Amino acid sequence: MRTRLLWAWFGILATLVGVGLAHLVAAITTPAASPVLAVGSGVIDLTPTPMKEWAIRTFGDADKVILVGSVMVGVLVLAGVAGLLARRRLAVGAGLLLGLVGIAAVAVVTRPGFGPLDVLPVLVAAVLGPAALVLLARTHAEAARSSAEDGTRRTLLLTMGVLASGAAVGGVGGRVVSSLRLRPESVELPAAADPAPAFPRGLDDQVPGITSFRTPNDDFYRVDTRLDVPIVNTDDWTLTIDGDVDREVTIDFDELLDMPMIERDITLTCVSNSVGGPYVGAARWLGVRLTDVLDLAGYGNTKADQILSTDVDGMTISTPLDLATDGRDAMVVVGMNGEQLPREHGFPVRLVIPGLYGFISATKWVTRLTLTTYDDQKAYWTERDWATDAPIKISSRIDTPKALSEQAAGEVVIGGVAWAQARDGIEKVQVRIDGGAWEDARLGPSAGEDYWRQWFFKWDASPGSHRIATRAVAGNGEAQVAVRAEPFPDGSSGLHELIVNVS
Ligand SMILES: Nc1nc2c(c(=O)[nH]1)N[C@H]1C(S)=C(S)[C@@H](COP(=O)(O)O)O[C@H]1N2
Ligand SMILES: [Mo]
């Protein structure tokens, strides 16, 4: 039994060495080409949409940690099996390890944005993993042949120690390198030629527990298909406008900064947000009008019906051309809340288009805008059956009190945020207690029609269990849809309702 365990360990150790050092090499070259991350991304891409939705709902922001963790556990179980097999036939065990690397290699090579250098990490894993297993098997064989005193046992332990340290150096080194590379490059952003009005003071201090009127960059929700943050530097960044345009144009970062800047307060929303969910955030964005950028290429005669935007890694997002150019403040963004874009949110350049869910509008790390048709080219989520036309649905969320919380009888302040982008903003928010009449909530200040609005309602709570509901009406008269819908394929609907216990 103990020998078996030892051999399983050999397999695991050999794999950790390969994967750890490959991770380090990837951190230095292309982080996404790390075997574990590449397999993880492959799993994300292959997972059917309903299951992905389930994972996001169940695990929330931890979904990626859980995914990478599961991939790691799966790999290590197989690595243990490889070790056990190697006990009888070394070649079989080493072969299984190579097979595992082969799966990672497929994941790396089929990744969008694959470059030749990206094979380096899997090559490292392919050489070091099996080599470590062979080394362990040889050292073990020698230890078994000689007597305990002559130090070969110690050699085996030493070998295992060295390999474990190698794996740790790889893993930790990879982290250190990534965090060094993630440090922001500091850029000087120009002032807006067309600035946003002074930002009003929200209800943050007045209503305890309400969502902050402006979402700080560090707290802004993050949704992307990648497991790592791409490192794009301004020197290397260019934006190409091509497809069905008068002339293909490429501009660099300085040329973009030289264009007239607008500044707008816009609330971004993810299509995967459930009613009452957290995937919504509001910020002040600085950037160039999207139509100004498209004008560089000329698109008056285009037959295109979509803007297919591509990120630095080849991931694509499609936006209906008519909606993006209908006069709304669609932007090619460089600044967020008075700072340059954080790397997580698309540095150096992303799109923000008010009123459309992020998955059809908010391309981060954008490098190409292609005017084309939905018939000719399909974006990432279009291939996965999500809607192509997905305006953000009107919604109101209760931030406080929390669901199932205990409240003291008397005055309870109910508060939250509501949004109705590209629909003349929020006109009215209402609250209903225990299925009674709808009553108007008080609204906080407005920061424009594309920005959410805070609201509160003073409720005289009597003892017992109570059901609170909220709904919103937009400035254009449209009301929040009460019919329940899941996020797939074009966004959730329904009323946010919760129960509190008053005593
Ligand atoms: N390159 C790229 N851009 C992307 C995505 C992505 O996966 N890759 N996700 C989109 C989705 S689904 C949303 S909701 C927004 C989220 O932007 P945030 O992460 O800055 O909040 O970015 C969009 N832009
Ligand atoms: Mo999203």
Side-chain angles (χ1 to χ4, degrees), residues 480-503:
Q480 180 174 347
V481 173
V483 180
R484 284 206 147 268
E486 293 298 323
F488 183 80
D490 64 357
S492 63
S493 67
L495 304 184
H496 191 203
E497 281 193 88
L498 51 81
I499 288 173
V500 293
N501 297 310
V502 180
S503 52

PDB file of all heavy atoms in Angstrom, residues 480-503:
ATOM      1  N   GLN A 480     -41.000  48.289 -16.060  1.00  0.00           N
ATOM      2  CA  GLN A 480     -40.267  47.040 -15.869  1.00  0.00           C
ATOM      3  C   GLN A 480     -41.198  45.859 -16.120  1.00  0.00           C
ATOM      4  O   GLN A 480     -42.340  45.859 -15.657  1.00  0.00           O
ATOM      5  CB  GLN A 480     -39.735  47.006 -14.432  1.00  0.00           C
ATOM      6  CG  GLN A 480     -38.956  45.767 -14.083  1.00  0.00           C
ATOM      7  CD  GLN A 480     -38.335  45.872 -12.694  1.00  0.00           C
ATOM      8  OE1 GLN A 480     -38.285  46.949 -12.099  1.00  0.00           O
ATOM      9  NE2 GLN A 480     -37.873  44.744 -12.183  1.00  0.00           N
ATOM     10  N   VAL A 481     -40.713  44.853 -16.839  1.00  0.00           N
ATOM     11  CA  VAL A 481     -41.523  43.677 -17.159  1.00  0.00           C
ATOM     12  C   VAL A 481     -41.583  42.758 -15.936  1.00  0.00           C
ATOM     13  O   VAL A 481     -40.554  42.401 -15.373  1.00  0.00           O
ATOM     14  CB  VAL A 481     -40.907  42.932 -18.358  1.00  0.00           C
ATOM     15  CG1 VAL A 481     -41.632  41.620 -18.609  1.00  0.00           C
ATOM     16  CG2 VAL A 481     -40.945  43.818 -19.591  1.00  0.00           C
ATOM     17  N   ALA A 482     -42.814  42.406 -15.530  1.00  0.00           N
ATOM     18  CA  ALA A 482     -42.961  41.585 -14.325  1.00  0.00           C
ATOM     19  C   ALA A 482     -42.835  40.093 -14.626  1.00  0.00           C
ATOM     20  O   ALA A 482     -42.585  39.286 -13.731  1.00  0.00           O
ATOM     21  CB  ALA A 482     -44.304  41.865 -13.671  1.00  0.00           C
ATOM     22  N   VAL A 483     -42.980  39.723 -15.886  1.00  0.00           N
ATOM     23  CA  VAL A 483     -42.900  38.297 -16.256  1.00  0.00           C
ATOM     24  C   VAL A 483     -41.480  37.797 -16.030  1.00  0.00           C
ATOM     25  O   VAL A 483     -40.517  38.409 -16.488  1.00  0.00           O
ATOM     26  CB  VAL A 483     -43.280  38.103 -17.744  1.00  0.00           C
ATOM     27  CG1 VAL A 483     -43.189  36.635 -18.129  1.00  0.00           C
ATOM     28  CG2 VAL A 483     -44.670  38.654 -17.997  1.00  0.00           C
ATOM     29  N   ARG A 484     -41.357  36.685 -15.339  1.00  0.00           N
ATOM     30  CA  ARG A 484     -40.028  36.152 -15.024  1.00  0.00           C
ATOM     31  C   ARG A 484     -39.354  35.575 -16.256  1.00  0.00           C
ATOM     32  O   ARG A 484     -39.966  34.828 -17.011  1.00  0.00           O
ATOM     33  CB  ARG A 484     -40.141  35.030 -13.984  1.00  0.00           C
ATOM     34  CG  ARG A 484     -40.391  35.535 -12.601  1.00  0.00           C
ATOM     35  CD  ARG A 484     -39.869  34.555 -11.550  1.00  0.00           C
ATOM     36  NE  ARG A 484     -39.409  35.299 -10.399  1.00  0.00           N
ATOM     37  CZ  ARG A 484     -38.152  35.703 -10.229  1.00  0.00           C
ATOM     38  NH1 ARG A 484     -37.224  35.420 -11.115  1.00  0.00           N
ATOM     39  NH2 ARG A 484     -37.815  36.382  -9.163  1.00  0.00           N
ATOM     40  N   ALA A 485     -38.087  35.926 -16.463  1.00  0.00           N
ATOM     41  CA  ALA A 485     -37.289  35.292 -17.511  1.00  0.00           C
ATOM     42  C   ALA A 485     -35.885  35.095 -16.981  1.00  0.00           C
ATOM     43  O   ALA A 485     -35.384  35.911 -16.196  1.00  0.00           O
ATOM     44  CB  ALA A 485     -37.262  36.162 -18.763  1.00  0.00           C
ATOM     45  N   GLU A 486     -35.265  34.008 -17.375  1.00  0.00           N
ATOM     46  CA  GLU A 486     -33.867  33.743 -17.015  1.00  0.00           C
ATOM     47  C   GLU A 486     -32.973  34.592 -17.918  1.00  0.00           C
ATOM     48  O   GLU A 486     -33.416  35.061 -18.972  1.00  0.00           O
ATOM     49  CB  GLU A 486     -33.555  32.257 -17.238  1.00  0.00           C
ATOM     50  CG  GLU A 486     -34.297  31.311 -16.290  1.00  0.00           C
ATOM     51  CD  GLU A 486     -33.922  31.558 -14.836  1.00  0.00           C
ATOM     52  OE1 GLU A 486     -32.735  31.849 -14.573  1.00  0.00           O
ATOM     53  OE2 GLU A 486     -34.823  31.482 -13.983  1.00  0.00           O
ATOM     54  N   PRO A 487     -31.702  34.761 -17.560  1.00  0.00           N
ATOM     55  CA  PRO A 487     -30.804  35.587 -18.390  1.00  0.00           C
ATOM     56  C   PRO A 487     -30.710  35.135 -19.854  1.00  0.00           C
ATOM     57  O   PRO A 487     -30.699  35.976 -20.751  1.00  0.00           O
ATOM     58  CB  PRO A 487     -29.457  35.439 -17.694  1.00  0.00           C
ATOM     59  CG  PRO A 487     -29.800  35.226 -16.254  1.00  0.00           C
ATOM     60  CD  PRO A 487     -31.055  34.399 -16.276  1.00  0.00           C
ATOM     61  N   PHE A 488     -30.649  33.823 -20.109  1.00  0.00           N
ATOM     62  CA  PHE A 488     -30.540  33.361 -21.485  1.00  0.00           C
ATOM     63  C   PHE A 488     -31.891  33.478 -22.182  1.00  0.00           C
ATOM     64  O   PHE A 488     -32.885  33.089 -21.613  1.00  0.00           O
ATOM     65  CB  PHE A 488     -30.070  31.896 -21.495  1.00  0.00           C
ATOM     66  CG  PHE A 488     -29.857  31.351 -22.875  1.00  0.00           C
ATOM     67  CD1 PHE A 488     -28.698  31.640 -23.568  1.00  0.00           C
ATOM     68  CD2 PHE A 488     -30.830  30.570 -23.492  1.00  0.00           C
ATOM     69  CE1 PHE A 488     -28.498  31.147 -24.845  1.00  0.00           C
ATOM     70  CE2 PHE A 488     -30.641  30.083 -24.773  1.00  0.00           C
ATOM     71  CZ  PHE A 488     -29.471  30.376 -25.453  1.00  0.00           C
ATOM     72  N   PRO A 489     -31.989  33.997 -23.419  1.00  0.00           N
ATOM     73  CA  PRO A 489     -30.889  34.450 -24.287  1.00  0.00           C
ATOM     74  C   PRO A 489     -30.720  35.959 -24.368  1.00  0.00           C
ATOM     75  O   PRO A 489     -29.760  36.410 -24.977  1.00  0.00           O
ATOM     76  CB  PRO A 489     -31.343  33.933 -25.657  1.00  0.00           C
ATOM     77  CG  PRO A 489     -32.840  34.105 -25.601  1.00  0.00           C
ATOM     78  CD  PRO A 489     -33.250  33.916 -24.156  1.00  0.00           C
ATOM     79  N   ASP A 490     -31.631  36.753 -23.733  1.00  0.00           N
ATOM     80  CA  ASP A 490     -31.497  38.204 -23.933  1.00  0.00           C
ATOM     81  C   ASP A 490     -31.731  38.998 -22.652  1.00  0.00           C
ATOM     82  O   ASP A 490     -32.127  40.153 -22.700  1.00  0.00           O
ATOM     83  CB  ASP A 490     -32.416  38.694 -25.060  1.00  0.00           C
ATOM     84  CG  ASP A 490     -33.886  38.508 -24.728  1.00  0.00           C
ATOM     85  OD1 ASP A 490     -34.184  37.943 -23.654  1.00  0.00           O
ATOM     86  OD2 ASP A 490     -34.739  38.927 -25.522  1.00  0.00           O
ATOM     87  N   GLY A 491     -31.465  38.385 -21.504  1.00  0.00           N
ATOM     88  CA  GLY A 491     -31.530  39.119 -20.250  1.00  0.00           C
ATOM     89  C   GLY A 491     -32.702  38.718 -19.376  1.00  0.00           C
ATOM     90  O   GLY A 491     -33.765  38.361 -19.870  1.00  0.00           O
ATOM     91  N   SER A 492     -32.502  38.793 -18.067  1.00  0.00           N
ATOM     92  CA  SER A 492     -33.537  38.379 -17.114  1.00  0.00           C
ATOM     93  C   SER A 492     -34.602  39.465 -16.999  1.00  0.00           C
ATOM     94  O   SER A 492     -34.344  40.642 -17.238  1.00  0.00           O
ATOM     95  CB  SER A 492     -32.913  38.139 -15.737  1.00  0.00           C
ATOM     96  OG  SER A 492     -32.372  39.342 -15.233  1.00  0.00           O
ATOM     97  N   SER A 493     -35.814  39.036 -16.645  1.00  0.00           N
ATOM     98  CA  SER A 493     -36.848  40.008 -16.280  1.00  0.00           C
ATOM     99  C   SER A 493     -37.609  39.465 -15.081  1.00  0.00           C
ATOM    100  O   SER A 493     -37.417  38.327 -14.666  1.00  0.00           O
ATOM    101  CB  SER A 493     -37.797  40.262 -17.454  1.00  0.00           C
ATOM    102  OG  SER A 493     -38.551  39.108 -17.733  1.00  0.00           O
ATOM    103  N   GLY A 494     -38.476  40.297 -14.537  1.00  0.00           N
ATOM    104  CA  GLY A 494     -39.233  39.935 -13.339  1.00  0.00           C
ATOM    105  C   GLY A 494     -38.997  40.998 -12.280  1.00  0.00           C
ATOM    106  O   GLY A 494     -38.173  41.896 -12.459  1.00  0.00           O
ATOM    107  N   LEU A 495     -39.754  40.897 -11.191  1.00  0.00           N
ATOM    108  CA  LEU A 495     -39.611  41.883 -10.126  1.00  0.00           C
ATOM    109  C   LEU A 495     -38.687  41.338  -9.051  1.00  0.00           C
ATOM    110  O   LEU A 495     -38.695  40.138  -8.756  1.00  0.00           O
ATOM    111  CB  LEU A 495     -40.982  42.180  -9.502  1.00  0.00           C
ATOM    112  CG  LEU A 495     -42.072  42.652 -10.467  1.00  0.00           C
ATOM    113  CD1 LEU A 495     -43.341  43.008  -9.676  1.00  0.00           C
ATOM    114  CD2 LEU A 495     -41.593  43.848 -11.290  1.00  0.00           C
ATOM    115  N   HIS A 496     -37.894  42.230  -8.465  1.00  0.00           N
ATOM    116  CA  HIS A 496     -37.077  41.807  -7.327  1.00  0.00           C
ATOM    117  C   HIS A 496     -37.957  41.808  -6.084  1.00  0.00           C
ATOM    118  O   HIS A 496     -38.553  42.823  -5.733  1.00  0.00           O
ATOM    119  CB  HIS A 496     -35.885  42.757  -7.146  1.00  0.00           C
ATOM    120  CG  HIS A 496     -34.874  42.228  -6.175  1.00  0.00           C
ATOM    121  ND1 HIS A 496     -33.980  43.028  -5.499  1.00  0.00           N
ATOM    122  CD2 HIS A 496     -34.614  40.958  -5.791  1.00  0.00           C
ATOM    123  CE1 HIS A 496     -33.222  42.264  -4.725  1.00  0.00           C
ATOM    124  NE2 HIS A 496     -33.590  41.008  -4.888  1.00  0.00           N
ATOM    125  N   GLU A 497     -38.060  40.653  -5.469  1.00  0.00           N
ATOM    126  CA  GLU A 497     -38.905  40.504  -4.291  1.00  0.00           C
ATOM    127  C   GLU A 497     -38.119  39.800  -3.211  1.00  0.00           C
ATOM    128  O   GLU A 497     -37.344  38.884  -3.510  1.00  0.00           O
ATOM    129  CB  GLU A 497     -40.126  39.622  -4.614  1.00  0.00           C
ATOM    130  CG  GLU A 497     -41.213  40.359  -5.358  1.00  0.00           C
ATOM    131  CD  GLU A 497     -42.510  39.548  -5.383  1.00  0.00           C
ATOM    132  OE1 GLU A 497     -43.313  39.680  -4.449  1.00  0.00           O
ATOM    133  OE2 GLU A 497     -42.684  38.786  -6.347  1.00  0.00           O
ATOM    134  N   LEU A 498     -38.318  40.184  -1.968  1.00  0.00           N
ATOM    135  CA  LEU A 498     -37.658  39.455  -0.886  1.00  0.00           C
ATOM    136  C   LEU A 498     -38.502  39.510   0.383  1.00  0.00           C
ATOM    137  O   LEU A 498     -39.425  40.323   0.496  1.00  0.00           O
ATOM    138  CB  LEU A 498     -36.241  39.977  -0.661  1.00  0.00           C
ATOM    139  CG  LEU A 498     -36.004  41.470  -0.492  1.00  0.00           C
ATOM    140  CD1 LEU A 498     -36.300  41.895   0.928  1.00  0.00           C
ATOM    141  CD2 LEU A 498     -34.550  41.776  -0.825  1.00  0.00           C
ATOM    142  N   ILE A 499     -38.150  38.638   1.313  1.00  0.00           N
ATOM    143  CA  ILE A 499     -38.918  38.532   2.559  1.00  0.00           C
ATOM    144  C   ILE A 499     -38.033  38.959   3.724  1.00  0.00           C
ATOM    145  O   ILE A 499     -36.851  38.613   3.773  1.00  0.00           O
ATOM    146  CB  ILE A 499     -39.408  37.078   2.753  1.00  0.00           C
ATOM    147  CG1 ILE A 499     -40.525  36.811   1.735  1.00  0.00           C
ATOM    148  CG2 ILE A 499     -39.903  36.834   4.177  1.00  0.00           C
ATOM    149  CD1 ILE A 499     -40.997  35.394   1.670  1.00  0.00           C
ATOM    150  N   VAL A 500     -38.588  39.756   4.622  1.00  0.00           N
ATOM    151  CA  VAL A 500     -37.866  40.101   5.853  1.00  0.00           C
ATOM    152  C   VAL A 500     -38.754  39.761   7.050  1.00  0.00           C
ATOM    153  O   VAL A 500     -39.977  39.716   6.938  1.00  0.00           O
ATOM    154  CB  VAL A 500     -37.478  41.606   5.907  1.00  0.00           C
ATOM    155  CG1 VAL A 500     -36.455  41.928   4.839  1.00  0.00           C
ATOM    156  CG2 VAL A 500     -38.687  42.503   5.786  1.00  0.00           C
ATOM    157  N   ASN A 501     -38.115  39.507   8.179  1.00  0.00           N
ATOM    158  CA  ASN A 501     -38.852  39.181   9.398  1.00  0.00           C
ATOM    159  C   ASN A 501     -38.759  40.332  10.385  1.00  0.00           C
ATOM    160  O   ASN A 501     -37.668  40.746  10.765  1.00  0.00           O
ATOM    161  CB  ASN A 501     -38.278  37.903  10.030  1.00  0.00           C
ATOM    162  CG  ASN A 501     -38.453  36.729   9.081  1.00  0.00           C
ATOM    163  OD1 ASN A 501     -39.547  36.494   8.572  1.00  0.00           O
ATOM    164  ND2 ASN A 501     -37.359  36.030   8.813  1.00  0.00           N
ATOM    165  N   VAL A 502     -39.899  40.837  10.771  1.00  0.00           N
ATOM    166  CA  VAL A 502     -39.946  41.995  11.666  1.00  0.00           C
ATOM    167  C   VAL A 502     -40.425  41.541  13.047  1.00  0.00           C
ATOM    168  O   VAL A 502     -41.381  40.772  13.150  1.00  0.00           O
ATOM    169  CB  VAL A 502     -40.908  43.075  11.093  1.00  0.00           C
ATOM    170  CG1 VAL A 502     -40.976  44.285  12.015  1.00  0.00           C
ATOM    171  CG2 VAL A 502     -40.486  43.473   9.685  1.00  0.00           C
ATOM    172  N   SER A 503     -39.713  41.976  14.083  1.00  0.00           N
ATOM    173  CA  SER A 503     -40.171  41.609  15.432  1.00  0.00           C
ATOM    174  C   SER A 503     -40.079  42.822  16.356  1.00  0.00           C
ATOM    175  O   SER A 503     -39.445  43.799  16.037  1.00  0.00           O
ATOM    176  CB  SER A 503     -39.332  40.465  15.980  1.00  0.00           C
ATOM    177  OG  SER A 503     -37.970  40.797  15.882  1.00  0.00           O
TER     178      SER A 503
END
